[in-house]
Amino acid sequence: MPPPILDRVTSSPVTNRFDAPFDGDLATELTLALRLADAADAVSMERFDAADLDIRVKADASHVTEADLATERAIRDILAAERPEDGVFGEEFGSSGDAPRQWIIDPIDGTANYLKGIPMWATLIALAIDGVPRVGVVSQPAIGRRWWGATGLGAWTAAPSGEAKPLRVSEVDAIERASVSFQSIRQWDDAGRLDDLTRLTRAVWRDRGYGDAWPYMLLAEGRLEMVAEFGVKEYDIAPYVPILQEAGGRFTAIDGRHTLSDRSGIATNGILHDAFIALLHGEESAQ
């Protein structure tokens, strides 16, 4: 029998700030995270756009495919062999272990795109230590892109030549010159925040709903100034924290708290973080 699919899982709340100092060396863990992404890419791409892809509907009405399950299993198998003392928290199989180190996994973020053959989906991998995401990898194999980072080690993506290229957020310092992604109108509607979304789109230079992982990485590359969304779980957002922090940006809940469990997130280039939060709370003059 296949393992049960859990429709509701939660991890421990973050008790430390995302920018709290860390004096450990994360190079080995980042290397492992990149190997996990390699294994995940091999599994997920094998079934991408397959005509006979097995698709089921979970209790929360979201979809899960055989590839979601197989990709998370592949990651968990490696962690069981190489980091047996660490906890694991994944979208499809919930939480296992109780340790200050926890690997947080979304095997296919953007399953709706995956099952429709749309290449904008990603595998998300993070390592949280004492509740703070310290290592993050975002891999989008269908478009041949990957981004990664770890506290103290910078944030990176692969250049066309294959060499690692450092990531840096933009220096735009005015909301009226900012380009933003709001993810989806339905998210904001379900959260009762349509008026806030309207206010946001009237204040910025450009708005688009790019969706899922990609806009966060556009932000890390300096191409957007803000991404915000609602209805997210810990595994939907964890790897963005170290990547954006190391690229010079910021990530918090929509109210500014340093937590993954608020079911909301706002990421910015840092310069405009407080101003965007103020704007979304009705303080239009904040800059």
Side-chain angles (χ1 to χ4, degrees), residues 32-246:
L32 173 58
L34 289 167
R35 286 201 292 113
L36 295 174
D38 289 341
D41 289 353
V43 174
S44 60
M45 286 302 294
E46 184 177 356
R47 297 297 291 154
F48 177 56
D49 209 19
D52 60 345
L53 182 71
D54 182 63
I55 304 167
R56 287 184 271 165
V57 178
K58 295 192 283 189
D60 65 357
S62 66
H63 291 90
V64 62
T65 73
E66 62 183 274
D68 293 84
L69 304 176
T71 301
E72 185 166 325
R73 286 193 196 101
I75 295 171
R76 284 178 176 268
D77 286 348
I78 296 172
L79 290 174
E82 300 196 25
R83 296 293 186 274
E85 302 303 317
D86 291 354
V88 181
F89 173 43
E91 176 175 9
E92 307 307 339
F93 301 118
S95 296
S96 60
D98 182 14
R101 290 166 45 102
Q102 183 184 52
W103 294 88
I104 304 175
I105 305 161
D106 190 341
I108 297 179
D109 179 63
T111 297
N113 282 343
Y114 184 94
L115 64 86
K116 294 286 286 185
I118 299 169
M120 301 312 296
W121 50 271
T123 293
L124 309 182
I125 299 167
L127 171 62
I129 301 175
D130 295 324
V132 178
R134 296 295 187 180
V135 175
V137 177
V138 174
S139 189
Q140 290 194 222
I143 62 170
R145 294 298 310 274
R146 183 179 291 181
W147 303 262
W148 63 93
T151 304
L153 297 177
W156 307 85
T157 190
S161 65
E163 296 180 3
K165 176 183 176 182
L167 297 172
R168 194 68 190 171
V169 296
S170 81
E171 296 182 359
V172 171
D173 60 1
I175 284 179
E176 62 268 23
R177 294 193 287 111
S179 182
V180 307
S181 174
F182 57 81
Q183 300 292 60
S184 83
I185 293 173
R186 182 170 180 175
Q187 283 185 349
W188 292 69
D189 191 14
D190 289 347
R193 305 292 293 262
L194 276 181
D195 288 346
D196 298 331
L197 179 58
T198 300
R199 187 185 315 113
L200 170 68
T201 60
R202 288 172 175 169
V204 299
W205 168 58
R206 193 168 190 262
D207 64 273
R208 290 291 186 272
Y210 294 110
D212 301 314
W214 193 42
Y216 290 99
M217 299 302 98
L218 292 175
L219 173 62
E221 292 179 350
R223 306 181 196 281
L224 297 177
E225 282 67 56
M226 191 215 75
V227 184
E229 62 179 323
F230 297 90
V232 288
K233 305 275 178 64
E234 291 90 336
Y235 43 72
D236 294 314
I237 53 179
Y240 308 149
V241 174
I243 293 173
L244 291 170
Q245 286 281 151
E246 289 297 302

Side-chain angles (χ1 to χ4, degrees), residues 252-259 262 264 266 277 281:
T252 67
I254 206 77
D255 62 1
R257 289 183 299 136
H258 290 234
T259 178
D262 181 68
S264 72
I266 180 169
I277 289 177
H281 286 81

